[in-house]
Amino acid sequence: MASFKPTKIQVYPKLGEKVTQDTLYWKNYKAPVQIKEFGAITNIDFSPVAPHNFAVTAFTRVHIYGPFSQEPVKTFTRFKDTAYSGRFRSDGQLLVAGCEDSVVRLFDVSGKVALRMFKGHTKAVHVTDFTSDGYQILTGSDDYTCRLWDIPNATELNTYQEHTDYIRCGVTSKLNRDLFITGSYDHTLKMFDARLDKSVMTMDHGHPVENLLLYPSEGLLVSAGGRYVKVWDLLKGGQPLVSMKNHHKTVTCLSLGSNGQRLLSASLDRHVKVYNTTNYKVVHNFDYAASILSLGLAPDDESIVVGMTNGILSVKHRKSPEESKETSGQQRRKPSYRVFVKGKNYVPKQDDYLVSKPVKQHLAKYDKQLKRFNVSKALDTALETWLRRRKPEITVAVIKELDRRGTLKNALAGRDEQSLFHLLNFLIGNLVDPRFAPVLVTTAEMILDIYRSVIGQSPVVDRQLLRLQDLLEREIDYQKDLLEVLGMLDTMFASSIPRKEVPCSGISRSNGLGQGEASTSRPQLQAT
């Protein structure tokens, strides 16, 4: 008796990932270095001066890490409660941070004790930043106020109380020391001028604002809140330019890379999206293990630092040119041809004794059922959820094998409401796929023939049949439109191709006779 032959699964061509310059650029990072912090990492800020250390704010501490260090080179622990928003000054010498106890602390990077303590807020301070001249500090708090402080005198310069909810983000102008922008959970963005006592511009984001970012030219402002990232034109009075909704959960932080040519956004959905700032389309995507709260990008994109809710700090360093060449060389290296042909041409001698080892055949679940002639169970196995969604070609191959055996109608008959629902759902999802259509059209006709008498008895099945009908009608209309377009294109191509005359020497174009024959063969008519 011949051995059972497994079902042949046809291999279809797959569309690979589109490799672009952005893909190659953003994939050129080493494996991430993971550092465990004491709590959720709420802020990451890179020093603007070399060697570009970065400050990580987590729980009651602010750690400063070197570019390649896995241990903090400096730690500030003078906080009585959770610390927020550790930021460097433009010279990299001072660092400011807010706290849950409403006190703002100013540190010397080379020291340990706080140089200044600014008291005046009544609730947690989540926003701190230096003005462009480096002599003033902007703070924003959960008491709905934002304040300006003078560093040398440790005094409060001004208080603004225009927001009606928590202020959770803010940014100062690097070109004008008097301008700064705040974002609040009251869905608004407000631009303030320190020379005035009120805001000079208001924009409505539509969702609680989590982060703000100014372009280097400061003509554009980017805001993040809810699932949206929005770009505003400040030179046109805060006119909205672009609204992007590429994340599935709240966007928490923003960053600029590639000298302002790329925008990065991170979200609680564990993804970091990279946008092209010319058309704001996603050009790359990073995946992480937990929800992301903070994101930092080193100058020249040398490293990407991500802080997550589980207290893990992920640091990716860019590969050097030598490492990139080694990696690409390893990827191209393949086994040589002689490995595959080794022993293939060996001819046994006359006295050799051939020992054959029996090969055990491993069959898939649906093949085991087919071997036992359980056609209905074989189809049920091929319609399992993970199989029909991830590998529909296997389900189609089993249906094709059942049709070849002439048992497809038996496998489709006698099904209950639930199994018929799954079968119709699979047909709706794959019927118009040109790879599967020849097999599934026959299957759909058989289902309609078998279950014609029970139509109207099950609302679930009836609803699926209506969806199938609608799908077929739309596909027919689509094919008609394509045929019309094809006819138009054929007409255009036919009219645009120049006509070529075929030269025929010695033959008259009128009757096909030679020039000498035309006069002699034609009869002469005489008048009578």
Side-chain angles (χ1 to χ4, degrees):
M1 179 175 157
S3 61
F4 177 81
K5 293 182 180 180
T7 305
K8 184 179 179 181
I9 308 299
Q10 188 172 349
V11 179
Y12 297 97
K14 293 183 179 180
L15 294 176
E17 180 184 6
K18 188 178 180 181
V19 179
T20 62
Q21 290 299 321
D22 282 288
T23 306
L24 298 174
Y25 181 81
W26 292 103
K27 278 192 172 183
N28 193 29
Y29 285 92
K30 301 178 187 177
V33 177
Q34 295 190 343
I35 304 170
K36 179 64 178 175
E37 287 289 345
F38 292 93
I41 301 165
T42 56
N43 192 76
I44 296 170
D45 187 55
F46 274 86
S47 173
V49 298
H52 302 299
N53 296 338
F54 56 93
V56 176
T57 309
F59 194 42
T60 59
R61 307 181 183 202
V62 177
H63 291 306
I64 297 180
Y65 290 88
F68 298 98
S69 65
Q70 298 187 23
E71 295 291 335
V73 297
K74 193 76 178 178
T75 301
F76 300 104
T77 59
R78 304 286 179 170
F79 299 96
K80 296 180 180 179
D81 208 332
T82 306
Y84 299 109
S85 187
R87 296 275 183 94
F88 284 103
R89 196 167 70 171
S90 57
D91 59 2
Q93 298 298 316
L94 296 180
L95 183 138
V96 65
C99 185
E100 188 72 30
D101 64 1
S102 76
V103 178
V104 180
R105 292 170 173 83
L106 180 70
F107 298 93
D108 185 346
V109 173
S110 59
K112 288 186 177 181
V113 182
L115 297 178
R116 297 280 190 275
M117 296 178 67
F118 304 95
K119 299 180 180 179
H121 285 291
T122 58
K123 290 186 179 180
V125 180
H126 284 263
V127 181
T128 60
D129 201 0
F130 290 94
T131 56
S132 59
D133 61 357
Y135 295 113
Q136 296 176 4
I137 292 175
L138 164 70
T139 60
S141 169
D142 286 353
D143 60 8
Y144 309 166
T145 67
C146 56
R147 307 177 188 228
L148 279 176
W149 307 82
D150 182 65
I151 295 177
N153 300 320
T155 56
E156 182 181 319
L157 297 177
N158 208 341
T159 303
Y160 301 90
Q161 300 182 355
E162 295 193 22
H163 286 292
T164 58
D165 208 333
Y166 300 153
I167 300 174
R168 290 295 173 88
C169 56
V171 62
T172 58
S173 169
K174 304 305 177 190
L175 305 179
N176 188 331
R177 73 166 195 171
D178 296 315
L179 295 179
F180 61 92
I181 306 170
T182 58
S184 169
Y185 277 11
D186 63 6
H187 301 187
T188 62
L189 318 170
K190 291 184 180 290
M191 175 181 281
F192 294 91
D193 191 329
R195 295 162 291 190
L196 302 174
D197 293 330
K198 61 179 181 179
S199 62
V200 295
M201 192 184 300
T202 301
M203 293 153 278
D204 185 8
H205 181 82
H207 296 82
V209 186
E210 300 286 349
N211 207 305
L212 294 177
L213 179 69
L214 268 176
Y215 274 70
S217 64
E218 300 193 355
L220 298 177
L221 172 72
V222 187
S223 62
R227 294 170 56 190
Y228 292 87
V229 176
K230 298 187 178 182
V231 183
W232 312 84
D233 190 341
L234 299 181
L235 302 180
K236 292 186 178 180
Q239 177 181 339
L241 292 181
V242 184
S243 178
M244 296 170 282
K245 188 181 179 183
N246 294 293
H247 289 281
H248 303 298
K249 293 184 180 179
T250 301
V251 183
T252 54
C253 43
L254 302 166
S255 184
L256 272 179
S258 302
N259 297 321
Q261 299 299 313
R262 296 294 180 266
L263 172 68
L264 282 75
S265 66
S267 166
L268 295 178
D269 63 4
R270 305 182 294 108
H271 294 292
V272 175
K273 306 281 186 183
V274 183
Y275 306 88
N276 187 336
T277 53
T278 57
N279 53 19
Y280 292 101
K281 291 185 178 180
V282 177
V283 295
H284 195 67
N285 180 62
F286 293 99
D287 296 334
Y288 286 88
S291 298
I292 302 171
L293 291 180
S294 51
L295 169 69
L297 201 60
D300 299 325
D301 307 332
E302 287 301 318
S303 56
I304 299 175
V305 185
V306 166
M308 293 172 267
T309 53
N310 59 359
I312 297 293
L313 182 71
S314 174
V315 184
K316 290 182 179 180
H317 297 291
R318 182 167 290 281
K319 295 178 184 177
S320 62
E322 294 79 10
E323 291 173 323
S324 299
K325 289 180 182 178
E326 289 178 6
T327 306
S328 60
Q330 291 173 0
Q331 290 176 349
R332 288 196 300 267
R333 186 177 179 184
K334 295 180 180 180
S336 59
Y337 177 71
R338 65 177 181 271
V339 174
F340 296 102
V341 300
K342 185 178 180 181
K344 293 290 180 83
N345 299 326
Y346 180 77
V347 180
K349 297 178 182 178
Q350 186 176 1
D351 298 331
D352 287 345
Y353 181 74
L354 182 62
V355 179
S356 60
K357 185 179 179 181
V359 179
K360 186 177 180 181
Q361 190 179 38
H362 297 279
L363 298 177
K365 290 183 179 179
Y366 50 85
D367 277 330
K368 291 179 181 178
Q369 299 295 345
L370 287 173
K371 189 176 181 180
R372 298 169 188 160
F373 302 99
N374 296 329
V375 291
S376 294
K377 290 184 179 180
L379 185 57
D380 291 339
T381 307
L383 285 170
E384 288 180 356
T385 305
W386 71 272
L387 202 62
R388 70 171 186 265
R389 289 183 179 176
R390 297 184 183 180
K391 295 184 177 181
E393 62 272 9
I394 293 180
T395 307
V396 173
V398 173
I399 294 175
K400 188 175 181 180
E401 175 64 18
L402 291 171
D403 189 30
R404 187 190 68 82
R405 295 184 176 198
T407 56
L408 179 58
K409 201 164 189 178
N410 296 336
L412 296 174
R415 296 189 166 269
D416 57 7
E417 184 181 64
Q418 189 67 23
S419 61
L420 189 57
F421 170 80
H422 291 316
L423 186 56
L424 289 171
N425 201 29
F426 177 77
L427 287 176
I428 292 169
N430 299 277
L431 185 62
V432 296
D433 192 324
R435 301 175 300 170
F436 310 141
V439 179
L440 296 185
V441 167
T442 305
T443 308
E445 291 175 351
M446 286 188 182
I447 291 175
L448 293 176
D449 288 339
I450 295 170
Y451 296 99
R452 183 184 303 169
S453 59
V454 298
I455 293 177
Q457 299 181 13
S458 170
V460 176
V461 175
D462 291 347
R463 191 159 52 246
Q464 292 293 86
L465 290 174
L466 289 174
R467 285 181 58 198
L468 182 61
Q469 180 185 2
D470 181 56
L471 175 69
L472 292 174
E473 289 176 353
R474 282 190 283 110
E475 183 66 17
I476 291 170
D477 294 339
Y478 180 59
Q479 295 292 340
K480 286 181 179 178
D481 294 340
L482 287 179
L483 287 173
E484 290 179 4
V485 173
L486 185 61
M488 296 175 190
L489 292 174
D490 288 342
T491 305
M492 291 173 58
F493 292 149
S495 61
S496 63
I497 297 175
R499 295 181 180 180
K500 294 184 179 180
E501 298 181 356
V502 180
C504 299
S505 58
I507 298 177
S508 174
R509 294 177 186 175
S510 58
N511 54 12
L513 297 175
Q515 293 179 357
E517 300 172 2
S519 58
T520 57
S521 60
R522 183 177 300 173
Q524 298 292 330
L525 298 177
Q526 297 179 357
T528 56

